[in-house]
Amino acid sequence: MGKKHQTPLLDELKKGKWISFVREIERAAEKSERTEDLLGQVEESYHDKVNHWKHGGMAGVKGYGAGMVGRFSEYPDKYPGIKECHSMRIIPSAGFFYNSDFLRKLADISEKHAGGLLNFHGATGNIQILGMSQAEAEDVFQAVAELGFDLGGSGSDLRTPSCCAGQARCEFANFDTMKICRHLTEEYLDELHRPAFNYKFKFKFSGCANDCVASAARSDLAFIGTWKDKIKINQEEVKNYKKKFNVQKYVLDKCPTKCMWFEGENLVIDDENCVKCMHCINELPKALKAGDERGCSILIGAKAPLVTGPRMGMMLVPFYDVNEDAKNDYEWIKSLISNMWEFWDEYGVSRERIGELIGRVGLNTFLEGIGLEPIPEMVEHPRSNPFIKFTEDEEE
Amino acid sequence: MAEEVKKKRLTDIGPHDYNEYLSPVIKNNYGKWAYHEILDPGTMVHVAESGDKLYTVRMGSPRLVSGSFVRDICDIADKYCGGHLRFTTRNNVEFLIEDEKNVEPLKKDLEKMGYNVGGIGNIVANIVHTQGWVHCHTSASDASGVVKSVMDELYEYFVEDKLPSKVRIAFACCLNMCGSVSSSDIAIVGTHRKPPRIDAERLRNLCEIPSTIAACPTNSIRPDTVDGKPGVKVNEETCVFCGSCYTVCPAMPIANAENDGLSIWVGGKVSNARTKPTFSKLAIPFIPNDPPRWPGVVNAVKTILNEYKKGAEPGERVGEWIDRIGWPRFFKITGFPFTKYHIDDFRLGETTMNYSSHARL
């Protein structure tokens, strides 16, 4: 039997209306006794106001350099159940769609071999099973694999790609996010399972500029849906919306490029000046739709602050014809990715994200390295200092 | 024998085929949706060009869940959704329902079981968060406990649509900023205030000195000789307590019970609607850890939300509202003191100053 610990501080967090994680840990402990010790150690952290995990820790399965995060308790004698408390990352189903049969089997695995706790999902998108020992890792991996699921990324590798629900359940989706997400994950399984990069690299796919997987902030390479032709307008539905709220004030006046106006009763859009921000379509979903020439923009370099400061993804390719490329097994994008990784491999240093590398060597050098031409969409505005490095081929 | 074991192992099978998990109505209308409507903060309907309808009921989740939780939601999905369900990118659960008649009974069942239905529309959605004291070694605070405390207090905003626009709250237990705190309407970030402690003896054995030096954003770590052996020293004048050195070197622990806590950030967003994506900016540099309920953090978040609700125009995100009224007014109405810590002094910090005579006097 796992030893019961007194948890007066955590017990406070069983009160209140929002679903309680403490109750969830307790429920897990009913099925997996070792998790009693997790409650004990977390209670001790609440008392001491510091975490009680040892630094780092390696854990893994044969043949892979990634997929598990090792964790050891600072007090293994006091909390033997979590002496080893590793987590395993599992590649989710694209768009996070599941059925009850799979989820029940996964719950069984987590209770039989680990602490009975799961994260749905980690921030990158993995399913996580928490609280296993190294000795159990292989069994859990194989049990999960028998359900048709593989381990996700960790360390200096391609991390698990993720995407929004896209065309499965959204009228805004400009490309099939789930299809390309799955395809590129399969294409780069080796890069995902066996870390060979300078540092981590993430892909995320959002079907439109609303960016529901936050790709522009959370992935080194972000795919954000967009379109090239005119927004389709249903004038009758526009009139219906006008009866319900002030369309001029809340839609037209909020347009970032002021490219919409009324001519009589009819809504007019100057599509050449539209930046595809989605605001009008969000507000009037029954009346407005993206055009038919759909694809996505590609943004590069987003990352969290360490080490040189946070970065958002910056525009690299304004329009990628993903539907056309899908017909060729995504040959064009795979060649671009391969160029990027080669450049990063050649010029990047250890623990340098690709965004930091671009910041260090300059966008021009990077573009030359990967074979893209500079275009005005890449910048907010041209440079305002005169320290220009003219190159020899410009002289004479 | 060994060869046999090797043969049986399954590896590199890749992502599972999602098509297996799509309900018939999704398969039939994939890429052919016409529009959607939000029926209430827990329910929306997607209408396909074919006229088919798909109802979605969204339910809050603590993200860290037990096998029993998983079985609960599976039971509901079996009873009303043919076993189909999904999770959202903010870690909520969504039940995908084809028959409208099942919507209300499903919601009643969830409520009976103590689950929270909501999270759609102009609401406070689930808080994207991290591991905290439950599973991470670099955490400066706990994730699950702060999130639970904040969501208990803001519960009405999860279940009722009464804000000017959606409000995304995010939490990270250190400034690795796993998740989305760098671009959320309101962000809560674990923060240290003291330099790392160097264990010279262990450092020699456990750490790679050059990578430890390279991990520092302010170049505060230098090679040093300790007792005639290689080591490092930290310039405490320039150290910003980020904890990056501890991440790469176990002999430089930085957690400190009295000096760790949380900072509050506001005004970030990732959507491109109207305005470009933008980072969250510092509102409160430090609030001490105060488990189990973190009242200081809860009050700060509530203050921001209340002023935003009072002052923002319909459709304005928190960052757009602050841009309109100006930062001096934001500090005035929230009562948060503006301090020297709010002035950026890292790398391109000077680009954040006000190069104009513009002031709302």
Side-chain angles (χ1 to χ4, degrees):
Chain A
M1 278 296 285
K3 190 187 155 201
K4 293 257 182 202
H5 301 276
Q6 293 295 311
T7 57
L9 293 169
L10 289 179
D11 289 346
E12 283 299 312
L13 291 170
K14 289 192 276 182
K15 301 170 187 165
K17 283 187 171 167
W18 185 251
I19 179 168
S20 168
F21 74 100
V22 178
R23 277 288 299 137
E24 288 305 316
I25 302 178
E26 286 183 351
R27 286 173 92 188
E30 287 165 15
K31 300 278 175 68
S32 190
E33 285 171 9
R34 69 183 88 174
T35 300
E36 290 291 348
D37 282 341
L38 180 65
L39 278 168
Q41 183 176 301
V42 174
E43 174 74 16
E44 187 154 339
S45 279
Y46 269 59
H47 180 266
D48 299 346
K49 302 186 194 179
V50 285
N51 78 74
H52 288 303
W53 298 106
K54 281 185 187 165
H55 184 283
M58 303 295 281
V61 299
K62 245 189 306 179
Y64 289 7
M68 286 186 70
V69 175
R71 197 65 77 216
F72 296 86
S73 171
E74 203 175 24
Y75 306 126
D77 297 333
K78 202 164 168 189
Y79 305 114
I82 52 166
K83 178 180 175 211
E84 290 178 68
C85 189
H86 315 316
S87 64
M88 185 175 277
R89 295 178 176 173
I90 299 162
I91 302 176
S93 167
F96 307 118
F97 286 89
Y98 300 105
N99 66 18
S100 51
D101 179 54
F102 162 69
L103 291 179
R104 279 204 189 89
K105 286 174 178 160
L106 197 67
D108 291 343
I109 293 170
S110 82
E111 285 163 359
K112 185 175 172 200
H113 296 286
L117 278 170
L118 304 109
N119 273 329
F120 281 102
H121 294 76
T124 298
N126 295 290
I127 303 168
Q128 295 171 331
I129 297 179
L130 268 76
M132 78 191 70
S133 68
Q134 177 60 57
E136 293 160 307
E138 188 68 24
D139 285 344
V140 182
F141 172 38
Q142 287 306 300
V144 167
E146 274 164 27
L147 298 180
F149 279 75
D150 202 348
L151 300 200
S154 64
S156 294
D157 68 358
L158 174 68
R159 297 296 183 87
T160 305
S162 70
C163 62
C164 70
Q167 296 181 339
R169 200 209 45 197
C170 186
E171 70 273 23
F172 298 161
N174 290 296
F175 69 106
D176 192 341
T177 56
M178 307 214 303
K179 186 177 164 191
I180 187 174
C181 181
R182 179 174 172 220
H183 184 95
L184 292 185
T185 311
E186 274 175 346
E187 177 71 21
Y188 298 119
L189 274 185
D190 197 35
E191 285 79 359
L192 191 152
H193 290 316
R194 297 165 191 94
F197 294 160
N198 293 309
Y199 205 9
K200 64 184 88 168
F201 195 98
K202 301 187 182 188
F203 293 147
K204 280 187 167 49
F205 306 87
S206 279
C208 76
N210 287 325
D211 200 359
C212 289
V213 275
S215 65
R218 300 166 69 176
S219 60
D220 298 86
L221 206 60
F223 297 78
I224 299 177
T226 191
W227 64 94
K228 265 179 140 170
D229 51 341
K230 288 176 185 297
I231 291 178
K232 294 179 193 163
I233 308 173
N234 179 331
Q235 299 290 358
E236 283 311 304
E237 291 291 353
V238 173
K239 281 175 202 148
N240 288 336
Y241 279 113
K242 276 175 84 176
K243 285 175 209 156
K244 284 187 239 167
F245 72 108
N246 189 338
V247 171
Q248 177 68 45
K249 183 174 178 191
Y250 294 119
V251 183
L252 276 60
D253 293 352
K254 297 275 185 188
C255 171
T257 59
K258 302 288 181 285
C259 68
M260 311 173 78
W261 59 87
F262 280 107
E263 281 178 9
E265 283 290 289
N266 277 354
L267 178 68
V268 181
I269 300 177
D270 169 14
D271 287 275
E272 278 188 27
N273 203 27
C274 167
V275 290
K276 283 75 177 168
C277 86
M278 288 300 292
H279 176 67
C280 60
I281 297 179
N282 287 342
E283 294 298 312
L284 314 173
K286 273 185 169 173
L288 303 180
K289 295 211 179 320
D292 292 323
E293 277 183 71
R294 297 182 178 197
C296 65
S297 303
I298 302 174
L299 281 68
I300 190 162
K303 59 176 283 295
L306 288 170
V307 170
T308 59
R311 302 178 79 99
M312 291 276 188
M314 55 189 190
M315 177 67 87
L316 189 70
V317 179
F319 189 83
Y320 160 47
D321 192 341
V322 49
N323 295 322
E324 193 55 37
D325 203 27
K327 291 177 196 159
N328 307 318
D329 251 4
Y330 303 98
E331 196 181 306
W332 184 84
I333 190 64
K334 284 189 240 178
S335 140
L336 186 71
I337 289 167
S338 136
N339 290 352
M340 274 177 203
W341 284 350
E342 248 171 64
F343 183 87
W344 188 36
D345 203 29
E346 183 76 18
Y347 299 101
V349 299
S350 172
R351 292 176 67 84
E352 184 178 47
R353 295 285 284 269
I354 203 157
E356 292 177 311
L357 169 64
I358 296 170
R360 182 164 60 83
V361 303
L363 182 61
N364 283 324
T365 308
F366 180 70
L367 292 176
E368 238 169 73
I370 65 169
L372 285 183
E373 292 296 319
I375 49 169
E377 284 84 352
M378 290 173 178
V379 297
E380 177 78 22
H381 56 73
R383 69 196 300 155
S384 54
N385 67 66
F387 307 129
I388 305 169
K389 177 74 179 170
F390 286 103
T391 47
E392 277 175 20
D393 50 313
E394 300 284 341
E395 282 169 16
E396 271 175 76
Chain B
M1 178 66 193
E3 203 50 39
E4 213 176 68
V5 172
K6 214 173 179 184
K7 261 188 215 156
K8 275 187 200 156
R9 280 185 93 236
L10 293 168
T11 69
D12 296 272
I13 56 177
H16 198 84
D17 181 358
Y18 54 82
N19 288 297
E20 210 177 290
Y21 298 137
L22 302 181
S23 68
V25 73
I26 289 182
K27 274 191 186 159
N28 293 339
N29 300 287
Y30 198 96
K32 294 175 200 153
W33 297 100
Y35 66 94
H36 76 280
E37 278 176 315
I38 296 173
L39 305 175
D40 62 55
T43 322
M44 58 184 167
V45 59
H46 285 79
V47 182
E49 286 161 8
S50 66
D52 284 357
K53 288 182 177 178
L54 180 70
Y55 293 85
T56 297
V57 171
R58 188 175 288 174
M59 172 192 126
S61 157
R63 190 179 80 107
L64 175 64
V65 300
S66 65
S68 305
F69 173 101
V70 172
R71 285 191 200 87
D72 283 351
I73 60 174
C74 287
D75 291 347
I76 295 280
D78 281 349
K79 191 168 169 190
Y80 297 110
C81 316
H84 294 286
L85 71 168
R86 72 177 288 265
F87 293 82
T88 69
T89 56
R90 300 192 75 82
N91 308 315
N92 291 306
V93 180
E94 285 185 343
F95 297 98
L96 307 166
I97 307 158
E98 298 188 6
D99 187 348
E100 186 180 2
K101 287 200 293 287
N102 281 338
V103 170
E104 288 309 315
L106 182 152
K107 284 157 80 173
K108 283 209 182 75
D109 273 8
L110 287 178
E111 275 155 28
K112 246 185 270 165
M113 295 162 87
Y115 291 118
N116 318 115
V117 175
I120 304 175
N122 296 328
I123 43 74
V124 170
N126 205 348
I127 300 181
V128 169
H129 64 278
T130 55
Q131 304 281 32
W133 294 333
V134 174
H135 205 254
C136 188
H137 61 150
T138 69
S139 47
S141 184
D142 186 46
S144 305
V146 176
V147 166
K148 163 75 175 152
S149 302
V150 172
M151 285 309 284
D152 274 343
E153 194 67 28
L154 302 184
Y155 184 75
E156 59 179 312
Y157 296 110
F158 182 78
V159 296
E160 286 176 60
D161 180 339
K162 46 189 191 178
L163 290 165
S165 183
K166 60 189 74 174
V167 174
R168 302 305 195 212
I169 305 180
F171 178 99
C173 43
C174 81
L175 55 60
N176 274 331
M177 292 194 178
C178 297
S180 61
V181 292
S182 67
S183 53
S184 292
D185 294 288
I186 303 174
I188 309 165
V189 180
T191 302
H192 304 289
R193 291 189 302 170
K194 293 284 173 194
R197 304 173 294 279
I198 303 174
D199 182 337
E201 184 68 30
R202 294 181 71 225
L203 191 139
R204 276 196 285 279
N205 300 321
L206 290 173
C207 307
E208 193 186 71
I209 289 174
S211 55
T212 307
I213 290 169
C216 180
T218 57
N219 298 315
S220 302
I221 305 177
R222 288 281 179 255
D224 192 19
T225 305
V226 186
D227 304 327
K229 291 174 188 162
V232 300
K233 62 183 167 190
V234 172
N235 180 352
E236 299 193 354
E237 294 291 312
T238 55
C239 172
V240 292
F241 326 121
C242 72
S244 179
C245 53
Y246 178 60
T247 298
V248 297
C249 170
M252 298 182 78
I254 189 165
N256 176 311
E258 296 316 310
N259 285 288
D260 289 351
L262 294 151
S263 52
I264 308 286
W265 305 69
V266 292
K269 84 191 233 307
V270 77
S271 146
N272 290 269
R274 302 173 300 285
T275 54
K276 291 185 175 183
T278 180
F279 290 122
S280 326
K281 291 100 185 166
L282 183 64
I284 303 177
F286 188 79
I287 300 172
N289 273 325
D290 195 0
R293 280 286 174 182
W294 282 273
V297 173
V298 171
N299 286 335
V301 172
K302 239 187 137 176
T303 301
I304 296 165
L305 205 64
N306 286 341
E307 294 303 330
Y308 163 72
K309 189 182 164 190
K310 256 192 271 172
E313 288 179 355
E316 258 180 349
R317 296 283 293 266
V318 170
E320 294 170 277
W321 162 63
I322 299 173
D323 280 347
R324 182 165 57 78
I325 65 170
W327 285 97
R329 179 143 184 84
F330 171 80
F331 283 101
K332 193 174 169 197
I333 62 178
T334 54
F336 302 154
F338 185 83
T339 69
K340 64 179 181 180
Y341 302 126
H342 290 89
I343 292 181
D344 192 349
D345 52 6
F346 181 71
R347 288 181 74 229
L348 305 174
E350 76 270 25
T351 61
T352 64
M353 304 309 150
N354 177 9
Y355 294 100
S356 75
S357 66
H358 293 191
R360 294 168 174 84
L361 301 173

